[in-house]
């Protein structure tokens, strides 16, 4: 795979503000890594990652940079009406199960640059995938994966405002150890850490670690319930406590430091099944779930939020995964989607993921199974957002109107494609009132 400008020894130069390790938007633009779209899909199947000068010759700006990005004081951003973050960048391949050469490599250098760009662009969060064994195929999909607590801690130390989640399998981490690791990372982040709790569904990962795989879906979530209760108690208890539960028998438990917020970190959990949704409604702040389309999902989202209020007495927020193919024309975007997700799909890896997830995860709604292969190859089953910046912004606005509170996005090549999204889609969402308006783009 080709080197990206500014990472892994690429020849492009990323300019930085005086006295700062953060790249400037002007420098990114000068390096050919920002505000660009493909000139012609037929001659440029992807947003190619090339040395700066060559890259600039093959890419053309859609328009001048809008006044939409603000530089603010360090600390978490105020909660927007609709949150937008990045999903799965810690994994090789990201979420696109494809063999195209421009697919994401998931290296630390690429993740670090991506996080800094996302932070300055005003994105709200970074959400990783916890993966211990990949899915094979010609692309060796998700073989190279950065462990998420270490990944989140490292990125938090190099960013200023964006929230960074760690994704933790309850079955793979002792809850007392995890509570201390996460609280420590929260201090390093300045209070910007979040926790994504995973009950686990991938049987080969349990076998790889020598752990019992509980075949009953409800059993895995029962274990996760007890696990998260212990984690929360470690974060709040001022005196040692004992836990004599079904899965854990602990004595004299205490943990410091506590999270900076004083009680717990922002918690998210995926749930498409009844068990997964019940766990999320009872234990976390954000339910992460697959999404079919706005018309069909609007009643379901309203029902889930009402149930969350009834069970927990609080406002449950709902996020969904989505993948973006944004180009200068709808036709170019559709053509590139067909190229990477159909013609160049890694069918072996898709087949393996389908066999594992459909057999164990119970998270795929029945009405989307027919289109699952393309959606899996396109972005691990996320909602496709395909078209021009105007088209993509309109699609996102429709999701917000349906009651969704946020989306976690993936791209085939995050570094090459995020700048266009930040420069052209985010301002349109601000104009539509989906997101709060930012201040001026820094020079």
């Amino acid at each position: 795979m080709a080197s990206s400008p500014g990472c892994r020894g690429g020849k492009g130069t990323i300019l930085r503000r005086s006295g700062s390790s953060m790249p400037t938007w002007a420098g990114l633009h000068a390096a050919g890594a920002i505000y660009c779209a493909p000139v012609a899909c037929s001659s440029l199947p992807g947003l190619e990652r090339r040395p700066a000068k060559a890259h600039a010759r093959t890419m053309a700006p859609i328009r001048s940079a809008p006044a939409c990005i603000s530089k603010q004081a360090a600390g978490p951003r105020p909660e927007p009406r609709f949150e937008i973050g990045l999903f799965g960048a810690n994994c090789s391949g990201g979420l696109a199960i494809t063999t195209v050469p421009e697919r994401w490599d998931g290296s630390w250098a690429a993740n670090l640059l991506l996080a800094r760009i996302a932070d300055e662009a005003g994105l709200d969060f970074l959400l990783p995938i916890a993966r211990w064994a990949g899915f094979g195929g010609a692309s060796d999909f998700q073989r190279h994966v950065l462990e998420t607590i270490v990944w989140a801690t490292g990125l938090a130390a190099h960013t200023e405002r964006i929230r960074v989640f760690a994704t933790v399998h309850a079955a793979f981490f002792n809850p007392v150890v995890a509570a201390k690791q996460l609280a420590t990372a929260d201090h390093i982040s300045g209070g910007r850490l979040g926790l994504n709790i995973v009950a686990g569904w991938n049987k080969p990962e349990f076998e790889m670690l020598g752990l019992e795989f509980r075949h009953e879906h409800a059993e895995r979530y029962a274990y996760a319930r007890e696990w998260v209760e212990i984690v929360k108690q470690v974060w709040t208890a001022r005196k040692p406590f004992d836990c004599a539960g079904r899965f854990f028998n602990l004595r004299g438990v205490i943990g410091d430091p506590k999270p900076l917020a004083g009680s717990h970190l922002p918690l998210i959990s995926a749930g498409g099944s009844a068990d997964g949704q019940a766990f999320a409604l009872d234990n976390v702040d954000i339910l992460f779930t697959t999404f079919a389309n706005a018309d069909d999902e609007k009643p379901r989202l309203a029902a889930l939020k009402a149930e969350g209020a009834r069970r927990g007495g609080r406002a449950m927020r709902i996020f969904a995964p989505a993948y973006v193919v944004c180009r200068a024309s709808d036709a170019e975007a559709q053509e590139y989607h067909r190229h990477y997700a159909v013609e160049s799909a890694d069918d072996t890896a898709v087949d393996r993921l389908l066999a594992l997830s459909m057999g164990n995860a119970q998270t795929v709604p029945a009405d989307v199974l027919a289109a699952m292969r393309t959606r899996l190859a396109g972005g691990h089953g996320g909602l496709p957002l395909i078209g021009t910046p105007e088209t993509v912004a309109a699609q996102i606005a429709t999701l917000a109107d349906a009651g969704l509170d946020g989306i976690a996005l993936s791209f085939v090549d995050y570094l090459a494609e995020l700048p266009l999204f930040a420069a052209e889609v985010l301002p349109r969402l601000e104009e539509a009132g989906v997101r709060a308006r930012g201040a001026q783009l820094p020079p």
Side-chain angles (χ1 to χ4, degrees):
M1 297 176 63
S3 294
S4 298
C7 67
R8 299 189 311 283
K11 296 180 180 179
T13 300
I14 300 301
L15 303 182
R16 305 180 187 280
R17 290 192 303 274
S18 176
S20 171
S21 61
M22 298 282 287
T24 66
W25 285 90
L28 289 167
H29 190 203
I34 194 73
Y35 310 134
C36 296
V39 174
C41 190
S42 58
S43 61
L44 187 62
L47 290 171
E48 296 186 35
R49 298 196 285 181
R50 301 180 179 182
K53 292 183 179 179
H55 186 89
R57 284 198 300 269
T58 58
M59 310 293 288
I62 285 184
R63 65 177 184 179
S64 59
C68 64
I69 311 300
S70 65
K71 184 66 180 172
Q72 306 175 43
R77 290 186 176 90
E79 206 170 80
R81 175 190 163 200
F82 187 87
E83 291 199 36
I84 297 177
L86 299 180
F87 186 29
N90 66 308
C91 303
S92 61
L95 298 183
I97 312 178
T98 180
T99 61
V100 295
E102 66 269 21
R103 67 186 183 274
W104 186 242
D105 68 2
S107 68
W108 169 248
N111 271 268
L112 180 56
L113 182 56
L114 177 68
R116 288 169 164 171
I117 294 172
D119 195 25
E120 288 218 346
L123 294 191
D124 303 297
F125 63 89
L126 303 170
L127 180 65
I129 288 178
R131 181 73 67 234
W132 300 89
F135 298 98
S139 67
D140 214 354
F141 180 61
Q142 293 188 344
R143 168 71 177 271
H144 173 92
V145 178
L146 300 173
E147 193 282 318
T148 70
I149 297 179
V150 178
W151 173 89
T153 306
L155 293 184
H158 288 278
T159 52
E160 298 181 10
R161 299 301 300 273
I162 196 166
R163 185 169 300 285
V164 187
F165 283 88
T167 298
V168 175
H169 281 85
F172 299 173
F173 287 76
N174 177 282
V176 180
V177 175
K180 180 177 282 289
Q181 288 177 305
L182 293 163
T184 301
D186 189 49
H187 280 250
I188 293 170
S189 74
R192 293 182 291 117
L193 196 77
L195 171 60
N196 177 25
I197 305 168
V198 180
W201 58 269
N202 192 347
K203 184 179 179 182
E205 293 185 332
F206 283 78
E207 294 172 340
M208 179 177 117
L209 298 176
L211 298 173
E212 176 189 0
F213 180 76
R214 295 173 175 84
H215 288 273
E216 291 296 325
H217 206 240
E219 282 291 285
R220 298 200 295 277
Y221 278 105
Y223 184 97
R225 282 178 181 271
E226 193 168 310
W227 185 91
V228 73
E229 288 170 2
I230 295 169
V231 169
K232 288 181 177 180
Q233 194 167 356
V234 171
W235 286 341
T236 56
R238 298 301 170 182
K239 296 180 179 179
F241 66 91
D242 297 339
C243 175
R246 181 181 169 195
F247 302 103
F248 295 96
N249 186 11
L250 310 174
R251 295 182 181 276
V253 178
I254 193 68
D256 277 304
K258 310 298 186 188
L260 282 177
S263 57
H264 73 275
L265 306 178
L267 303 178
I268 185 171
S269 182
S273 67
D275 291 321
Q277 290 179 1
F279 172 82
L281 292 172
D282 290 339
N283 295 283
V284 305
D285 308 295
I286 302 167
L287 168 64
F288 193 55
T289 185
T290 53
F291 196 92
N293 61 71
D295 291 337
D296 293 341
E297 297 286 6
K298 189 171 184 177
R300 182 173 76 97
L301 296 182
L304 284 169
K305 290 184 177 184
E307 180 66 9
R310 185 188 71 81
R311 296 172 73 133
R314 56 190 168 77
M316 169 62 64
R317 307 181 70 214
I318 302 176
F319 288 9
Y323 64 92
V324 178
V325 182
C326 188
R327 297 294 189 270
S329 72
D330 286 341
E332 287 182 24
Q334 292 289 349
E335 172 62 21
Y336 184 63
H337 180 249
R338 183 182 64 81
H339 167 65
Y340 89 84
V342 179
E343 296 173 349
S344 300
D346 188 339
D347 292 327
T348 300
V350 169
D351 289 340
R352 179 162 176 76
L353 181 56
L354 273 173
L356 287 169
S357 62
M358 291 178 64
N360 298 321
Q362 303 180 28
T363 59
V364 181
D367 60 340
V368 301
L369 288 178
M372 184 52 66
R373 289 193 66 87
T374 299
R375 281 182 62 163
L376 275 176
H380 217 294
L383 185 70
L385 302 174
I386 303 170
T388 65
E390 293 87 349
T391 300
V392 171
Q395 291 169 339
I396 294 173
T398 300
L399 300 180
D401 290 341
L404 204 63
D405 299 295
I407 48 174
L409 302 179
S410 62
F411 301 84
V412 173
D413 183 339
Y414 297 78
L415 273 179
E417 298 178 71
L418 175 60
L420 172 63
F421 181 89
E424 298 291 337
V425 178
L426 291 182
R428 289 174 168 84
L429 295 176
E430 294 170 0
E431 292 166 6
V434 175
R435 289 174 59 80
R437 287 186 178 274
Q440 295 297 313
L441 185 74

